[in-house]
Amino acid sequence: MLPTYLRLIIVCGGLCCAFFGKSTAQAPSPRLSSLSKVPPDALQADIDSLARFLEDAHPNLYAFTTPEELEAAFAHVRKQSEDSLTAIEFYHLVNPIIVSLGDIHSRILLPLAKNEYAIEGGFYLDMRVRYLNGKLYLMEGTDSVIAKGSQLINVNGFSINEITKSMLGSAPTDGTISSSRERMMEVFFKGKLPLYIPVDSLNQVSFIPYQESDTQTVTVEGIKRWPPPPPMKKRDRPSAREVAEEMFTLEYLEEGRVARMKVRSFSASKTKLFERFMKASFKEINEQKTETLIIDLRGNTGGKLYRGKRLMSYLADSAFYYTQFMSIKGGQASKNRLRERIWWPGLTTKLFPKALGAINMAILDAEVGVRDTIARNISWPEKPERRFKGNVYLLIDGLSISNSCIFTYAFRRYGIGQVIGVPGGGTETGTFGNTVPFTLPNTSLAGYLATIRIHSDSSMAYVPYGLQPNYLVPDRLEDLVEEKDTQLDFALKLIREARALKED
């Protein structure tokens, strides 16, 4: 159930969905310390605002921290805010509080429209990177000055090891899952680098070229992200059908014996188009007597629970529980958010409660500050002739977040097939979701907080580690450079081996 804001952030790869364009000016980049400062009384007011919002909205602040630790974290921020600070300096102070919640859905960021560094002409480095085995590698950017696959060593004299250490510490994840934390750090690297080290129009970058051992240093031009591009005109926006064709794809491999279903999002496009894709795909797969199905949820950051449940209905042999329970907390922010989205709230809740759904009704009905639990609902599989009865493999990665992890848990719970990849962005026992926005009035920092906890495990425990795949298959640098698919190739190897054994 990952919200739209996070899906957009992941696609754009910036601090808050920003455009990166080529810089033509060579004026010096502003230093963070030179930006306008917010006075202490205003900072203290923002701290109070954040504390109230956390207490009001989040379903369990102490799932992965303690009251004492959270209180100490707030006390530290208050102490450090006794002097005037820039919004970016304040961001560095309060972000660890949000990260400590162990909730990848909850986050705080600096909107581009309020990012004084970007507005004043600050520079960034155009780098798409991957973090593998404690090292950072360039995958794209810098106008080919640095070859793809090169290991980055330092930027402007600052060690990449220290930079990534700091960035990893500020990257969100569910619980303590390192695979999703690393991928989130990669996503934000380009947009957040100037928050950690000075970046200018010309920058010295040291690196070790791919498959070499000697360090080289080159000059890399900085780029600007302001002004952002004008909004896309309505006539130029992709239609719901075009989005669906990009998000939901089916291809055949191994001379048609294997089908690969790629679901890039559980929320993109219209539900009826998702339903149409599912129905047509499984009909085609069954008519062609496909032996094996590979479901690819890598990079799928979640979305509507209903869609994951529908996908499961084509695979399950009997009735199933897609989720076990949901915990909610009566919060004024979540109630207000719902009422804003509902026409004539009083009338709608009385006449059409089913249309709003059990979660929304529970939030509206709950007393402010009171936690409640919504019982699980049973789901039914598709008719036997529509279901796929062959072997199934599931591919996941660190960006398989939220509903993708809920699907993975159900997939394993009911023995549908084998999971390949690395732990996704949801813990062994569940994840958070259903976010509401907030803005701190004086620093303009904004963000989102989860309002529900989705429990995949009937114990309703809070386990910090991720759901382990049956086969742990991390990305390999050589495959990324050569544009080979590590996990897909591994799955096809397993399929061929199983087929060979069967034929013997």
Side-chain angles (χ1 to χ4, degrees):
M1 292 181 64
L2 206 66
T4 302
Y5 82 93
L6 187 50
R7 297 194 303 273
L8 291 176
I9 289 172
I10 289 174
V11 170
C12 295
L15 182 57
C16 55
C17 310
F19 172 80
F20 287 80
K22 198 69 163 156
S23 170
T24 56
Q26 294 300 317
S29 189
R31 293 294 176 254
L32 299 183
S33 58
S34 68
L35 304 179
S36 60
K37 294 183 180 290
V38 180
D41 58 340
L43 295 174
Q44 298 296 329
D46 275 8
I47 296 170
D48 292 338
S49 178
L50 179 60
R52 286 194 301 270
F53 198 81
L54 283 172
E55 183 60 37
D56 174 73
H58 202 272
N60 191 346
L61 292 176
Y62 311 115
F64 301 107
T65 187
T66 66
E68 295 75 18
E69 289 171 338
L70 196 59
E71 183 178 352
F74 267 103
H76 173 73
V77 174
R78 291 188 185 281
K79 181 67 175 176
Q80 296 299 312
S81 302
E82 292 178 351
D83 295 320
S84 298
L85 299 173
T86 67
I88 291 175
E89 289 171 334
F90 188 68
Y91 164 81
H92 279 301
L93 286 176
V94 297
N95 184 55
I97 292 177
I98 305 299
V99 171
S100 72
L101 302 180
D103 171 11
I104 202 169
H105 295 77
S106 295
R107 74 165 27 175
I108 192 166
L109 46 85
L110 183 61
L112 179 60
K114 302 294 184 179
N115 187 338
E116 191 178 356
Y117 174 80
I119 294 171
E120 294 298 322
F123 286 93
Y124 295 77
L125 284 182
D126 184 18
M127 289 182 173
R128 185 172 68 83
V129 299
R130 286 301 307 269
Y131 186 78
L132 302 173
N133 301 317
K135 298 177 181 179
L136 195 70
Y137 299 93
L138 181 74
M139 290 293 109
E140 186 178 24
T142 70
D143 288 338
S144 301
V145 174
I146 303 175
K148 182 177 182 179
S150 297
Q151 180 189 345
L152 299 174
I153 303 300
N154 65 63
V155 176
N156 292 334
F158 292 84
S159 165
I160 285 292
N161 288 337
E162 290 302 315
I163 295 171
T164 54
K165 181 179 178 180
S166 297
M167 285 191 170
L168 286 170
S170 66
T173 189
D174 267 14
T176 58
I177 304 171
S178 61
S179 54
S180 61
R181 189 187 299 279
E182 290 169 1
R183 295 303 305 275
M184 294 300 288
M185 185 271 287
E186 296 166 1
V187 165
F188 293 122
F189 184 84
K190 180 160 60 174
K192 283 192 173 183
L193 183 61
L195 307 187
Y196 293 89
I197 67 168
V199 177
D200 222 315
S201 58
L202 298 176
N203 304 274
Q204 300 301 305
V205 179
S206 297
F207 63 98
I208 301 175
Y210 178 59
Q211 292 185 333
E212 295 184 21
S213 57
D214 295 333
T215 301
Q216 298 182 15
T217 300
V218 296
T219 299
V220 176
E221 290 188 36
I223 62 171
K224 293 187 177 182
R225 63 186 296 196
W226 189 269
M232 184 180 293
K233 295 181 180 180
K234 188 174 182 179
R235 65 174 181 269
D236 297 325
R237 295 173 188 168
S239 66
R241 185 177 299 279
E242 290 172 329
V243 172
E245 290 173 352
E246 174 68 22
M247 293 292 104
F248 322 130
T249 58
L250 181 70
E251 65 173 333
Y252 291 92
L253 309 167
E254 300 285 298
E255 299 178 340
R257 291 183 170 186
V258 178
R260 178 199 181 200
M261 178 181 289
K262 176 74 173 176
V263 182
R264 294 175 174 83
S265 170
F266 280 124
S267 62
S269 192
K270 296 180 178 179
T271 296
K272 67 178 182 180
L273 295 176
F274 176 83
E275 286 275 14
R276 191 176 300 169
F277 169 77
M278 286 290 142
K279 184 176 180 179
S281 294
F282 280 98
K283 180 181 179 181
E284 182 177 297
I285 289 169
N286 288 329
E287 286 177 348
Q288 296 202 20
K289 302 186 184 305
T290 302
E291 299 172 358
T292 305
L293 173 63
I294 298 174
I295 298 174
D296 192 345
L297 296 186
R298 291 174 298 175
N300 184 326
T301 56
K304 300 174 182 177
L305 287 176
Y306 169 80
R307 296 191 183 185
K309 191 185 302 182
R310 289 295 292 135
L311 176 55
M312 182 63 64
S313 71
Y314 284 95
L315 306 172
D317 293 329
S318 57
F320 61 94
Y321 291 103
Y322 188 64
T323 61
Q324 295 298 307
F325 299 93
M326 294 188 192
S327 298
I328 64 125
K329 179 182 178 183
Q332 197 59 54
S334 54
K335 290 176 183 291
N336 293 342
R337 182 68 167 171
L338 277 173
R339 292 190 181 106
E340 289 172 0
R341 296 179 172 183
I342 301 172
W343 288 357
W344 304 294
L347 183 63
T348 303
T349 53
K350 289 185 180 298
L351 297 181
F352 309 105
K354 289 187 178 179
L356 293 176
I359 297 174
N360 291 336
M361 285 303 300
I363 290 173
L364 288 171
D365 291 341
E367 184 179 345
V368 173
V370 175
R371 291 184 175 85
D372 198 2
T373 300
I374 304 173
R376 59 187 180 175
N377 291 320
I378 197 166
S379 299
W380 302 95
E382 279 287 338
K383 296 178 181 179
E385 63 270 20
R386 293 181 179 178
R387 300 198 302 263
F388 180 73
K389 300 176 179 63
N391 296 321
V392 187
Y393 293 86
L394 175 63
L395 308 183
I396 63 171
D397 66 4
L399 290 179
S400 300
I401 299 170
S402 195
N403 194 22
S404 289
C405 287
I406 296 168
F407 179 88
T408 302
Y409 189 98
F411 184 90
R412 288 199 58 178
R413 175 184 176 87
Y414 293 100
I416 304 299
Q418 303 293 306
V419 183
I420 298 170
V422 298
T427 68
E428 174 82 27
T429 55
T431 188
F432 294 95
N434 202 50
T435 59
V436 292
F438 69 91
T439 300
L440 302 183
N442 299 303
T443 56
S444 297
L445 296 183
Y448 292 80
L449 284 181
T451 63
I452 67 172
R453 172 71 178 182
I454 304 166
H455 301 273
S456 297
D457 183 90
S458 58
S459 71
M460 297 179 67
Y462 287 86
V463 176
Y465 48 81
L467 181 66
Q468 295 294 316
N470 298 99
Y471 297 94
L472 184 63
V473 184
D475 283 319
R476 303 194 316 163
L477 177 62
E478 53 267 40
D479 287 347
L480 292 171
V481 173
E482 297 171 16
E483 298 185 0
K484 294 181 180 179
D485 193 323
T486 307
Q487 293 79 33
L488 180 60
D489 288 348
F490 185 90
L492 293 174
K493 179 174 178 289
L494 290 180
I495 293 167
R496 295 186 197 109
E497 290 173 352
R499 186 188 303 140
L501 287 174
K502 185 177 180 180
E503 291 174 351
D504 288 345

